[in-house]
Amino acid sequence: MAAVVLSEAEKLYIVHGVQEDLRVDGRGCEDYRCAEVETDVVSNTSGSARVKLGETDILVGIKAEMGTPKLEKPDEGYLEFFVDWLVY
């Protein structure tokens, strides 16, 4: 993982924010955003969920099915996955 380098000014900004109980978005350090969780929201999946956290909205669907191993690796399974996202 890449190292994050902060300047002394950035470090001071963070420390003062914690000391003064402030965040950039106006919340206090112990304030949380309301979270909503729904399950089974996509009908053609083996499982799905939708999570809303503040302005963030995440939808996840999982499909699982049994298949036969590939001929060249008969004793091994395999996993395929796809990721798709939309940013507003």
Side-chain angles (χ1 to χ4, degrees):
M1 181 166 43
V4 176
V5 180
L6 296 175
S7 69
E8 288 303 315
E10 290 170 314
K11 290 177 189 176
L12 195 59
Y13 178 79
I14 293 168
V15 169
H16 285 173
V18 171
Q19 290 173 341
E20 296 175 24
D21 193 33
L22 295 173
R23 292 188 191 177
V24 175
D25 62 5
R27 290 181 291 146
C29 290
E30 294 185 12
D31 293 339
Y32 61 91
R33 294 180 288 172
C34 182
E36 297 176 40
V37 178
E38 298 175 71
T39 57
D40 297 324
V41 293
V42 181
S43 62
N44 62 339
T45 63
S46 301
S48 62
R50 182 177 189 179
V51 177
K52 294 180 183 180
L53 184 61
E55 297 294 316
T56 304
D57 193 351
I58 302 167
L59 177 64
V60 177
I62 298 172
K63 287 182 102 171
E65 55 186 56
M66 297 296 289
T68 56
K70 294 183 176 184
L71 293 176
E72 60 273 12
K73 296 182 181 180
D75 296 330
E76 296 180 19
Y78 65 95
L79 175 66
E80 291 182 337
F81 63 93
F82 303 93
V83 176
D84 200 2
W85 68 88
L86 178 62
V87 178
Y88 295 98

